[in-house]
Amino acid sequence: MSTRLNWLRAGVLGANDGIISTAGLVVGVAGATTSRPAILAAGVAGLLAGALSMAAGEYVSVSSQRDSEKAALDLERQELAESPEEELEELTGLLVARGLSGEVAREAAQQLTERDALRAHARVELGINPDELANPWHAAVASLVAFTVGAVLPLLAIVLPGPSWRVPVTVAGVLVALTLCGVLSARLGGAPAGRAVLRNVAGGALAMAVTYAVGTWLGSTPS
């Protein structure tokens, strides 16, 4: 369940990044030019670059995490082979620290060790589930898809309306989408929604305001 929530939270955050970064890009370009092909080209390039960057970053990060988890499990496996009694005492102490009495902790440690010593130490000592090690490919694909889904909204909003409506429609659509993302991320994290929504909307509005101002200034500058 916790793993699923982590993936959902990562998906919401990835979509949020796609919305804000793409919206800032296309609004900035729209401030500089009314050319639909130019805006579309910039938006698609930003979507692809952002999605692939997110995927690569997640792959590298989660690969490092997986390597660390595997190294910790290998070390634990070696320690269990070389000094099983010491490991049993260590597991007993960890269970006592979690609130079990010494006698109950000892009995539980013995039963867990007999069943699967490595799994017991992985869960209690390392906080790792050997059956659910971090998968870098899953993380990369999830980030790529989430970012792309988020980026599609501002991209469509900026290219479908006429020139005079592009920026207002995009800003309105993006702020609504960021509100929904803020509510979802707050609920998944068990936090109050109001503050999360305010941060999300304010950050997105600021990004679009800055890029639009810069784009308008650059567009009015003689070449």
Side-chain angles (χ1 to χ4, degrees), residues 4-134:
R4 187 179 305 169
L5 286 176
N6 287 336
W7 280 114
L8 288 173
R9 190 177 296 111
V12 172
L13 294 175
N16 196 74
D17 287 343
I19 293 170
I20 293 177
S21 61
T22 305
L25 175 62
V26 295
V27 166
V29 177
T33 178
T34 59
S35 170
R36 180 179 276 112
I39 297 171
L40 179 61
V44 171
L47 184 156
L48 293 174
L52 293 173
S53 175
M54 287 281 291
E58 280 297 305
Y59 181 84
V60 171
S61 175
V62 176
S63 291
S64 298
Q65 177 185 342
R66 184 182 179 87
D67 290 344
S68 297
E69 291 174 343
K70 292 177 70 175
L73 289 173
D74 289 342
L75 178 60
E76 196 62 43
R77 187 179 291 107
Q78 180 181 346
E79 291 176 346
L80 285 167
E82 294 176 353
S83 50
E85 287 301 322
E86 292 180 9
E87 291 300 302
L88 178 61
E89 292 298 329
E90 182 181 26
L91 183 58
T92 300
L94 291 170
L95 293 174
V96 169
R98 293 193 173 193
L100 298 181
S101 66
E103 183 178 350
V104 173
R106 179 74 180 187
E107 177 63 24
Q110 288 177 336
Q111 291 187 17
L112 289 171
T113 298
E114 291 171 1
R115 185 176 304 169
D116 192 328
L118 180 61
R119 183 181 301 277
H121 281 268
R123 287 179 174 274
V124 178
E125 181 181 349
L126 305 176
I128 297 173
N129 185 346
D131 297 327
E132 296 182 4
L133 295 182

Side-chain angles (χ1 to χ4, degrees), residues 135-184:
N135 189 313
W137 286 109
H138 289 174
V141 172
S143 294
L144 186 148
V145 171
F147 186 96
T148 301
V149 169
V152 165
L153 185 147
L155 184 58
L156 293 178
I158 202 75
V159 298
L160 293 181
S164 61
W165 285 98
R166 284 174 184 162
V167 173
V169 168
T170 302
V171 170
V174 165
L175 294 182
V176 170
L178 291 177
T179 298
L180 294 176
C181 283
V183 171
L184 284 174

